[in-house]
Amino acid sequence: MKASKKRSNCPINTSLEIWGDKWSLLIIRDLMFKKQCTYGDFLKSEEKIATNILASRLLVLEENDLITKLDHPDSKAKVLYQLTEKAIELFPVLIEISLWAEKYYEIPEERKIVLEKAKQNKTAFIEKGIRKMKEGL
């Protein structure tokens, strides 16, 4: 993280400075479930992120070693974004946020099915998810 952006040494503040905005965890979410994405893939998500915001968030995530760029196998004009190990370790955070949302809000049925699996044995579910993502690196 760039020292100039850091407001305090509080670990929650430090984390939120990197991924606590409205969009960064959604970008991370997309990469967790799709493994790799292009810029255009992110623009197609149902949340409809603006191009300038997307570019800014991708840069912050890359500068903080949460994502990396890869050459696109089919196009020299495109790049693929992929999570780093550091970002993969946010998987438990996304699961906890999802479980909290399920408790208080309506969520899609397909998400409920996944969360039911997580609730059966959360530790094993998280460990398996992290292992699978790291194998994909």
Side-chain angles (χ1 to χ4, degrees), residues 33 90-100 114-115 118 122 125-126:
F33 296 105
L90 285 169
F91 184 60
V93 174
L94 271 69
I95 294 300
E96 290 298 338
I97 290 170
S98 297
L99 289 168
W100 178 84
V114 172
L115 293 176
K122 193 185 318 180
F125 181 84
I126 288 171

Side-chain angles (χ1 to χ4, degrees), residues 24 27-28 57-67:
S24 294
I27 292 168
I28 291 169
R57 296 314 182 269
L58 289 170
L59 183 60
V60 168
L61 292 171
E62 186 179 14
E63 287 174 343
N64 287 282
D65 300 318
L66 292 170
I67 62 171

Side-chain angles (χ1 to χ4, degrees), residues 32 35 82 88 91 117 124-137:
M32 280 187 177
K35 307 294 182 230
Q82 180 178 355
I88 289 169
F91 184 60
K117 291 178 186 175
F125 181 84
I126 288 171
E127 287 174 357
K128 181 180 178 184
I130 288 173
R131 186 174 57 254
K132 286 177 74 175
M133 283 186 270
K134 286 184 177 183
E135 288 171 359
L137 293 180

Side-chain angles (χ1 to χ4, degrees), residues 4 15 20 33-34 43 50 53 81-82 89 121 125 135:
S4 62
S15 299
F33 296 105
K34 296 177 185 171
L43 291 175
I53 301 294
Y81 293 92
Q82 180 178 355
E89 291 179 7
N121 185 339
F125 181 84
E135 288 171 359

Side-chain angles (χ1 to χ4, degrees), residues 7-135:
R7 291 184 293 202
S8 77
N9 288 323
C10 168
I12 293 172
N13 175 72
T14 300
S15 299
L16 290 176
E17 289 286 338
I18 299 168
W19 49 260
D21 62 87
K22 188 173 176 177
W23 297 103
S24 294
L25 281 181
L26 295 176
I27 292 168
I28 291 169
R29 173 209 62 192
D30 287 351
L31 287 167
M32 280 187 177
F33 296 105
K34 296 177 185 171
K35 307 294 182 230
Q36 298 176 338
C37 292
T38 64
Y39 191 87
D41 293 333
F42 293 119
L43 291 175
K44 293 175 189 171
S45 80
E46 67 180 299
E47 290 87 10
K48 304 294 183 204
I49 188 170
T51 58
N52 61 323
I53 301 294
L54 176 58
S56 171
R57 296 314 182 269
L58 289 170
L59 183 60
V60 168
L61 292 171
E62 186 179 14
E63 287 174 343
N64 287 282
D65 300 318
L66 292 170
I67 62 171
T68 187
K69 289 181 188 177
L70 304 171
D71 291 334
H72 195 286
D74 301 328
S75 172
K76 292 185 184 223
K78 293 181 181 180
V79 297
L80 289 173
Y81 293 92
Q82 180 178 355
L83 295 176
T84 63
E85 279 196 45
K86 186 176 177 181
I88 289 169
E89 291 179 7
L90 285 169
F91 184 60
V93 174
L94 271 69
I95 294 300
E96 290 298 338
I97 290 170
S98 297
L99 289 168
W100 178 84
E102 179 196 34
K103 185 176 180 179
Y104 295 104
Y105 302 100
E106 187 63 33
I107 65 169
E109 195 60 38
E110 65 271 11
R111 297 286 175 151
K112 288 181 185 180
I113 293 167
V114 172
L115 293 176
E116 284 305 314
K117 291 178 186 175
K119 287 190 265 186
Q120 290 172 7
N121 185 339
K122 193 185 318 180
T123 301
F125 181 84
I126 288 171
E127 287 174 357
K128 181 180 178 184
I130 288 173
R131 186 174 57 254
K132 286 177 74 175
M133 283 186 270
K134 286 184 177 183
E135 288 171 359

